[in-house]
Amino acid sequence: MSRKHLIAGNWKMNLTPDDSASLVEEVNAVVGKQNAVQVCVCPPFTSLPLVSEKVEQSEVLLGAQNMHDQPSGAYTGEVSAEMLRSLYVSHVILGHSERRQYFGETNVSINAKILAAIQASLKPIYCIGETLEERDAGKTMEILSSQVREGLQSYPSRALDLLVIAYEPVWAIGTGKTATDEMAQEAHAEIRGVLSEMFGEAASSSIRILYGGSMKPENAAGLLAQPDVDGGLIGGASLSAKSFCDIVEAAISAS
Ligand code: 13P
């Protein structure tokens, strides 16, 4: 089963619209014409309109970092799937550990967002991952399994082509500590095993599972060479066009 690598940049709460436009122009210039791997940038909401214009003529895809599960209404400060769609957003990061940690998101609330995203034909990049305490207590696989099962509760098989999973060990995010190639492969294989139990082996073998957590040009090749690592969700290193594009080049070489 061949799964095209996806390299997605999560810009988090960084960059004004003008700074975002400059960054995506640089990314476009280097990797915007190739389609050996998929490239997606996920700016903050305020930069989506301008970045959307900049990627219109490019292969680079546009993602958001969050959305609300309701289509519209009295939800001050929130953004709906339809609003994202109107800006040609194709992907949406859901359940990032920072949303779980600082904004009280749970597997159950994230599940509602995932189902709303696919209803609007948005591709969810569903983030899961264990904390250091959970890893040290030998609970990694148990945590990942419950995140997958609860987050994807009632997920319809017919929409599996939209689904992307991102394995982001919380202890590796923004810390400079990366999972070893073997640790990443072990977790990804385990996640694929849970997906296989839920949706069947054929379907699970076509779902992309990205690695995230201090991925940079120096460690990308090794991680992306693992059989169950289908790309990366890049935080800090996606804020530099050079390091982000170097990771894309590593993914092209690994394909
Ligand atoms: P870093 O690459 O900065 O560790 O962040 C990873 C991440 O959280 C991507 O969503």
Side-chain angles (χ1 to χ4, degrees):
M1 177 76 231
S2 79
R3 297 179 294 266
K4 194 181 269 203
H5 278 115
L6 169 63
I7 302 295
N10 176 6
W11 296 358
K12 306 192 180 182
M13 196 175 72
N14 293 293
L15 307 181
T16 63
D18 284 349
D19 294 338
S20 300
S22 305
L23 177 56
V24 78
E25 274 174 2
E26 286 183 68
V27 170
N28 267 340
V30 184
V31 297
K33 289 198 168 61
Q34 64 76 41
N35 59 15
V37 307
Q38 285 187 333
V39 177
C40 180
V41 293
C42 306
F45 289 136
T46 44
S47 292
L48 285 173
L50 200 49
V51 175
S52 182
E53 281 175 31
K54 298 284 176 193
V55 297
E56 204 182 326
Q57 306 293 332
S58 142
E59 296 286 338
V60 173
L61 302 165
L62 186 60
Q65 299 174 17
N66 182 31
M67 54 166 257
H68 196 269
D69 64 89
Q70 292 301 307
S72 63
Y75 300 100
T76 301
E78 293 292 323
V79 166
S80 73
E82 191 192 337
M83 293 170 188
L84 298 178
R85 289 284 301 173
S86 74
L87 293 171
Y88 304 100
V89 168
S90 56
H91 290 69
V92 57
I93 298 169
L94 293 174
H96 193 281
S97 65
E98 289 148 15
R99 304 256 1 135
R100 294 176 189 259
Q101 185 180 350
Y102 304 127
F103 303 100
E105 296 199 9
T106 63
N107 292 338
V108 172
S109 66
I110 298 159
N111 175 247
K113 294 184 178 198
I114 290 173
L115 298 180
I118 58 169
Q119 192 70 33
S121 301
L122 281 173
K123 299 183 171 76
I125 301 177
Y126 174 37
C127 300
I128 58 174
E130 81 287 1
T131 62
L132 189 56
E133 295 70 48
E134 289 161 348
R135 176 161 282 269
D136 287 347
K139 289 191 174 153
T140 298
M141 300 313 166
E142 190 187 316
I143 293 292
L144 296 178
S145 173
S146 61
Q147 288 174 332
V148 171
R149 288 179 193 282
E150 292 170 24
L152 299 179
Q153 176 87 40
S154 307
Y155 192 102
S157 294
R158 62 175 159 73
L160 283 173
D161 56 328
L162 299 178
L163 180 64
V164 179
I165 307 276
Y167 169 58
E168 300 206 309
V170 178
W171 47 270
I173 296 177
T175 59
K177 290 190 195 127
T178 322
T180 62
D181 300 347
E182 295 71 27
M183 281 157 80
Q185 169 55 28
E186 186 188 14
H188 284 226
E190 196 77 29
I191 293 162
R192 202 176 302 286
V194 178
L195 292 169
S196 177
E197 284 171 23
M198 293 176 75
F199 301 110
E201 200 179 330
S204 80
S205 69
S206 67
I207 298 171
R208 282 176 299 184
I209 307 174
L210 315 183
Y211 172 81
S214 298
M215 197 190 256
K216 354 179 220 298
E218 304 85 75
N219 58 29
L223 289 160
L224 293 168
Q226 301 307 308
D228 285 293
V229 177
D230 307 314
L233 183 55
I234 324 296
S238 72
L239 295 173
S240 145
K242 166 95 177 84
S243 56
F244 185 63
C245 293
D246 283 353
I247 295 172
V248 175
E249 303 286 357
I252 294 171
S253 301
S255 298

